[in-house]
């Protein structure tokens, strides 16, 4: 049910913006349904650019699942680039879905996938441009339900004033349940929007903001929260603070909502969860122009720094034949010439050798490359280069994280340097040209020798390349600044200071002697902001809103990021950012996210943190 008037108005703006095709819709395999023939309308809103959002496998999964049900129309929207946002505002036009040019406010449910905390301002931009009141309390039954999920929902408190429902855990079962429940409640209240997609909507500023959420809407939110264990409605939870600013408790304001919010976990056979075999093919270049097949969810390892290994438990795998057939069908439906086998640790897939051989048999004759991200450094790495015939061989990407054995014991990532070096040697022999290594700096207990190890390892691999190929191999050591994440054993640790991270980056660059080796450190200011947004509570929300009002947009993009605006906003509002991000917290302290109980729970995390403290003491005594 196309909104032709809005579509024509948008098309008049497109000659004035970069990459206009990202705002036009109509891509191959996109699904357009007549809104008059469906029960409800859902917009999957990705709070970042089209290029990133269309590369996100989870969006394709949910889009496929929801549109497979004839009662729902599922469409997409993305955060506009700065130029297009300005054009929309100047023309007083709303943000819309790409399938039917429907304004976001006219959907029944708008679901955001939060992949990165620094993108929180993009959510505000999309709500505002979509003509949805920013605050949950200002929405009525005439507004869509605003739902958020993804890694950024693991600490939901900063976005609590702006979001109706947070979904914790897997989305394949939770999103259809939310959609069904919300539409049933809307229909029972006589507020169904079926057939009313073209009804006029007030423009920004025309709708009174002080009326507050209606009681029927609050009751409906409560029914959703009370109907399951994994839906968190922040409107019904109220924090209490000690005099020193720490949290005393988080109280429920209604007894029918859960005291502890648990994670939704798919327990059925993973093969039964359908792969998106008709993924949308963008008309423009995106970050990952390829087919993505999730071969395994979860990780057999339990690294202390890693949030993903916590929130994606338990380990679930697809069969080789399901993967191969899904990839083949996706290829036939897209024409992509690269397939990426996705998981947190792809080479830990239990049938990895059989899978790679089968993929090679099927896709090499078709001229299709297979990419294998997230390879684990173990004895198997030595045999992988010979095994991976038909795999694109420009560069090998590995994540040792740290370079010394005692620090590996601390972070619980048991790998061996000899496996890494021999694996790289075999890769160079079999045509690989470059290696990219992912490391972290600022980990608990980090010493100068740990930084030395990063350079020593990168240079040793470059030397191995010279031994094999006659010239130093190009090696990039990509160093991220460690941010302790919620629901990990390190959640009580403080983040390192700006001064330390600047020193560490400078030290690494000075230490590097081989020109073929490059050190790239993640933007320190962006990491510091991530630390505040990751570890904050509801008292950070006003700063988020104010920074957005002052012009903070697309903060994950270096060309858009304005750290001075953020730090000035925090200062003007009297927020001590170091108290949130850099303070070591006692294990007796109530954390902002404690009422969101992810997988193994706090008891397990406390045990692992205590073990890490003992190991840190041993490391210190050994110096």
């Amino acid at each position: 049910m196309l909104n032709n008037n809005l579509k024509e108005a948008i098309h008049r703006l497109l000659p004035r913006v970069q990459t206009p095709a990202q705002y036009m819709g109509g891509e191959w395999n996109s699904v357009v349904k007549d809104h008059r023939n469906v029960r409800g309308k859902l917009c999957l809103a990705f709070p970042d650019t089209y290029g990133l959002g269309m590369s996100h496998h989870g969006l394709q999964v949910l889009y496929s699942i929801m549109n497979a049900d004839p009662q729902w129309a599922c469409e997409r929207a993305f955060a506009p680039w700065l130029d297009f946002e300005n054009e929309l505002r100047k023309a007083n036009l709303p943000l819309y879905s790409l399938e039917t040019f429907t304004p976001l406010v006219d959907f029944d449910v708008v679901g955001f996938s939060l992949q990165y905390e620094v993108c929180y301002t993009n959510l505000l931009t999309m709500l505002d441009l979509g003509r949805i009141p920013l605050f949950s309390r200002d929405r009525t039954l005439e507004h869509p339900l605003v739902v958020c999920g993804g890694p950024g929902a693991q600490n939901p408190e900063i976005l609590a004033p702006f979001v109706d429902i947070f979904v914790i855990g897997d989305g394949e079962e939770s999103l259809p349940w939310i959609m069904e429940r919300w539409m049933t409640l809307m229909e029972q209240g006589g507020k169904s929007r079926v057939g009313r997609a073209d009804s006029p909507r007030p423009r920004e500023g025309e709708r009174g903001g002080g009326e507050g959420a209606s009681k029927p809407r609050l009751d409906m939110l409560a029914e959703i929260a009370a109907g399951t264990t994994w839906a968190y409605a922040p409107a019904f939870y109220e924090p209490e603070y000690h005099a020193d600013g720490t949290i005393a408790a988080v109280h429920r304001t209604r007894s029918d909502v859960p005291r502890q919010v648990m994670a939704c976990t798919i327990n059925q056979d993973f093969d039964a969860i359908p792969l998106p075999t008709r993924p949308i093919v963008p008309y423009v270049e995106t970050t990952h122009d390829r087919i993505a097949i999730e071969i395994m969810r979860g990780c057999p390892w339990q690294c202390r720094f890693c949030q993903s290994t916590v929130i994606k438990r338990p380990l679930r795998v697809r069969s080789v034949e399901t993967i191969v057939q899904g990839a083949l069908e996706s290829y036939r439906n897209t024409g992509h010439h690269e397939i990426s086998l996705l998981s947190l640790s792809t080479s830990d897939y239990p049938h990895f050798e059989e899978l790679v051989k089968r993929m090679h048999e099927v896709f090499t004759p078709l001229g299709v490359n297979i990419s294998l991200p997230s390879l684990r450094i173990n004895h198997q790495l030595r045999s992988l280069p010979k095994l991976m015939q038909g795999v694109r061989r420009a560069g090998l990407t590995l994540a040792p994280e740290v370079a010394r054995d005692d620090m590996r014991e601390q972070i619980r990532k048991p790998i061996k340097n000899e496996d890494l070096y021999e694996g790289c040697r075999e890769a160079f022999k079999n045509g690989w040209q470059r290696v990219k290594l992912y490391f972290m700096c600022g980990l608990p207990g980090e010493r100068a020798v740990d930084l030395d190890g990063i350079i020593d390892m990168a240079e040793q691999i470059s030397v191995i390349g010279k031994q094999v190929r006659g010239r130093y191999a190009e090696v990039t050591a990509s160093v991220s600044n460690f941010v302790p994440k919620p629901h990990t054993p390190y959640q009580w640790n403080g983040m390192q200071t700006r001064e330390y991270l600047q020193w560490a980056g400078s030290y690494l660059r000075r230490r590097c002697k081989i020109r073929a080796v490059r050190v790239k450190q993640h933007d320190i200011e962006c990491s510091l902001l991530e630390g505040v947004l990751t570890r904050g509570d509801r008292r950070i929300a006003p700063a988020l809103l104010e920074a957005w009002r002052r012009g903070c947009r697309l903060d994950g993009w270096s060309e858009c990021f304005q750290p001075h605006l953020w730090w000035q906003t925090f200062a003007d509002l009297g927020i001590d950012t170091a108290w949130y991000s850099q303070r070591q917290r006692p294990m007796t302290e109530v954390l902002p996210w404690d009422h969101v109980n992810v997988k193994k729970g706090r008891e397990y995390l406390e045990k692992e943190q205590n073990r890490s403290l003992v190991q840190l003491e041993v490391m210190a005594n050994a110096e």
Side-chain angles (χ1 to χ4, degrees):
M1 190 170 182
L2 199 61
N3 187 335
N4 283 306
N5 290 337
L6 179 56
K7 180 178 180 179
E8 292 170 4
I10 294 297
H11 281 192
R12 289 193 289 270
L13 304 180
L14 295 183
R16 300 197 287 273
V17 302
Q18 299 178 54
T19 323
Q22 66 183 306
Y23 305 118
M24 295 175 63
E27 307 101 315
W28 185 255
N29 289 336
S30 59
V31 178
V32 179
K33 296 184 180 181
D34 189 330
H35 291 178
R36 293 167 296 191
N37 298 329
V38 297
R39 183 178 164 207
K41 307 182 297 296
L42 162 69
C43 184
L44 296 176
F46 194 88
D48 212 315
T49 62
Y50 178 92
L52 278 179
M54 286 306 299
S55 301
H56 184 241
H57 180 64
L59 183 140
Q60 300 269 17
V61 170
L62 296 177
Y63 185 87
S64 175
I65 287 174
M66 297 306 292
N67 274 317
D69 191 329
Q71 63 182 327
W72 313 130
C74 181
E75 306 184 5
R76 298 161 295 138
F78 302 90
W81 196 253
L82 302 178
D83 55 356
F84 192 51
E85 179 188 349
N86 291 334
E87 293 296 335
L88 287 175
R89 293 193 186 281
K90 283 195 296 185
N92 198 23
L93 295 175
L95 186 63
Y96 55 90
S97 67
L98 292 180
E99 280 71 12
T100 60
F101 286 78
T102 298
L104 264 57
V105 73
D106 287 326
F107 282 89
D108 298 296
V109 176
V110 174
F112 288 91
S113 178
L114 305 174
Q115 297 300 308
Y116 185 29
E117 294 86 347
V118 174
C119 295
Y120 284 169
T121 51
N122 301 340
L123 181 144
L124 299 182
T125 298
M126 296 180 74
L127 288 176
D128 187 55
L129 285 175
R131 296 181 178 168
I132 301 170
L134 294 180
F135 288 98
S136 175
R137 65 172 183 258
D138 293 334
R139 297 175 196 140
T140 69
L141 289 176
E142 292 299 305
H143 298 111
L145 179 73
V146 176
V147 180
C148 284
Q154 306 310 312
N155 175 14
E157 292 308 284
I158 293 175
L159 291 177
F162 314 112
V163 176
D164 297 322
I165 296 286
F166 287 92
V167 171
I168 310 301
D170 295 327
E172 289 94 334
E173 293 180 356
S174 57
L175 186 57
W177 187 94
I178 287 277
M179 192 72 191
E180 168 67 36
R181 191 70 187 128
W182 181 252
M183 290 312 302
T184 297
L185 293 169
M186 289 286 284
E187 290 157 0
Q188 290 172 352
K191 298 291 183 179
S192 174
R193 296 181 183 192
V194 176
R196 299 200 295 118
D198 288 335
S199 60
R201 297 284 177 185
R203 294 179 178 180
E204 182 182 1
E206 292 180 354
R207 191 192 311 276
E211 58 192 326
S214 62
K215 186 177 186 302
R217 192 176 200 275
L218 285 173
D219 288 341
M220 289 164 60
L221 293 181
E223 283 203 44
I224 289 178
T228 183
T229 58
W230 42 256
Y232 173 54
F236 307 122
Y237 298 79
E238 190 173 284
E240 176 190 351
Y241 301 100
H242 290 300
D244 64 358
T246 58
I247 298 173
V250 176
H251 301 288
R252 293 177 297 169
T253 61
R254 295 180 60 128
S255 60
D256 53 348
V257 298
R259 187 183 304 277
Q260 285 277 323
V261 181
M262 308 302 288
C264 179
T265 303
I266 297 172
N267 292 313
Q268 62 178 299
D269 184 350
F270 205 43
D271 274 343
I273 303 298
L275 287 163
T277 54
R278 295 187 64 87
I280 301 168
V281 182
Y283 287 143
V284 300
E285 183 178 358
T286 61
T287 307
H288 299 303
D289 274 322
R290 60 197 185 199
I291 296 164
I293 302 290
E294 186 185 23
I295 66 172
M296 179 172 70
R297 187 169 300 177
C299 180
W301 306 96
Q302 299 179 23
C303 301
R304 289 184 178 130
F305 63 86
C306 183
Q307 187 185 61
S308 294
T309 191
V310 176
I311 65 179
K312 292 186 180 295
R313 289 174 185 152
L315 187 68
R316 291 149 289 177
V317 300
R318 285 193 166 97
S319 68
V320 170
E321 201 55 34
T322 295
I323 295 166
V324 172
Q325 292 305 316
L328 187 59
E329 189 176 348
S330 297
Y331 165 72
R332 289 168 176 162
N333 289 328
T334 63
H336 277 301
H337 287 278
E338 183 174 349
I339 299 171
S340 179
L341 301 179
L342 296 182
S343 81
L344 292 176
S345 184
T346 300
S347 52
D348 281 314
Y349 175 71
H351 315 294
F352 181 73
E353 185 169 340
E354 178 189 354
L355 173 62
V356 173
K357 287 180 177 178
R358 284 281 291 125
M359 294 293 286
H360 169 60
E361 290 170 1
V362 172
F363 291 102
T364 297
L366 299 174
V368 177
N369 289 317
I370 310 300
S371 67
L372 301 169
S374 307
L375 294 176
R376 183 168 181 82
I377 300 164
N378 55 23
H379 67 281
Q380 191 179 41
L381 184 62
R382 303 182 187 207
S383 60
L384 281 181
K386 292 180 181 178
L387 181 66
M388 289 159 34
Q389 299 297 321
V391 173
R392 190 177 63 173
R393 291 177 289 182
L396 187 66
T397 300
L398 302 165
E401 310 296 356
V402 296
R404 286 175 55 96
D405 288 338
D406 51 1
M407 185 58 83
R408 287 181 186 137
E409 186 177 352
Q410 162 63 208
I411 69 173
R412 283 197 66 176
K413 187 161 187 175
I415 63 174
K416 295 179 180 179
N417 285 358
E418 55 264 35
D419 290 332
L420 173 63
Y421 295 145
E422 287 307 308
C424 289
R425 186 181 300 277
E426 291 301 317
F428 294 139
K429 288 179 180 178
N430 285 273
W432 269 264
Q433 303 169 26
R434 298 184 299 275
V435 174
K436 186 173 186 178
L437 304 171
Y438 285 105
F439 295 99
M440 292 183 290
C441 73
L443 283 160
E446 183 172 85
R447 307 147 299 180
V449 292
D450 296 306
L451 301 178
D452 291 339
I454 291 174
I455 300 303
D456 292 343
M457 176 176 286
E459 292 189 337
Q460 178 64 27
I461 292 172
S462 185
V463 169
I464 291 170
K466 184 178 182 182
Q467 294 168 351
V468 173
R469 301 169 57 240
R471 61 181 181 274
Y472 288 111
E474 294 180 29
V475 179
T476 300
S478 180
V479 182
S480 64
N481 308 302
F482 175 62
V483 179
K485 292 287 186 175
H487 308 295
T488 69
Y490 286 153
Q491 64 181 353
W492 292 277
N493 289 86
M495 186 180 175
Q496 280 288 3
T497 64
R498 175 184 287 106
E499 291 72 24
Y500 176 86
L501 296 173
Q502 289 172 340
W503 170 82
S506 177
Y507 181 86
L508 287 167
R509 287 186 288 271
R510 290 197 313 270
R511 182 79 167 62
C512 188
K513 303 302 180 186
I514 297 178
R515 293 183 62 184
V517 175
R518 290 194 307 154
V519 176
K520 295 177 64 176
Q521 185 182 23
H522 189 72
D523 185 275
I524 293 172
E525 298 302 315
C526 189
S527 297
L528 292 169
L529 176 60
E530 180 186 351
V532 178
L533 298 180
T534 298
R535 299 168 60 75
D537 55 38
R538 294 192 188 193
R539 292 168 294 185
I540 298 294
L544 171 66
L545 179 61
E546 182 59 24
W548 174 78
R549 284 174 171 161
R550 294 182 184 188
C552 290
R553 298 288 193 278
L554 298 167
D555 298 292
W557 295 83
S558 58
E559 58 266 56
C560 303
F561 184 42
Q562 302 181 77
H564 63 282
L565 280 183
W566 279 101
W567 306 129
Q568 189 60 54
T569 299
F570 286 129
D572 292 346
L573 272 60
I575 293 174
D576 181 357
T577 56
W579 189 84
Y580 282 102
S581 62
Q582 294 164 11
R583 177 173 60 92
Q584 185 82 17
R585 307 186 190 198
M587 279 194 282
T588 55
E589 182 176 326
V590 176
L591 302 175
W593 50 86
D594 271 348
H595 53 296
V596 177
N597 196 346
V598 175
K599 303 296 166 35
K600 288 194 175 182
R602 183 173 171 130
E603 183 179 347
Y604 166 79
L605 299 177
E606 287 179 354
K607 181 175 66 175
E608 280 299 305
Q609 170 67 339
N610 282 326
R611 286 175 175 171
S612 78
L613 294 174
V614 171
Q615 291 166 350
L616 285 174
E617 187 175 347
V618 171
M619 287 170 58
N621 292 335
E623 288 295 301

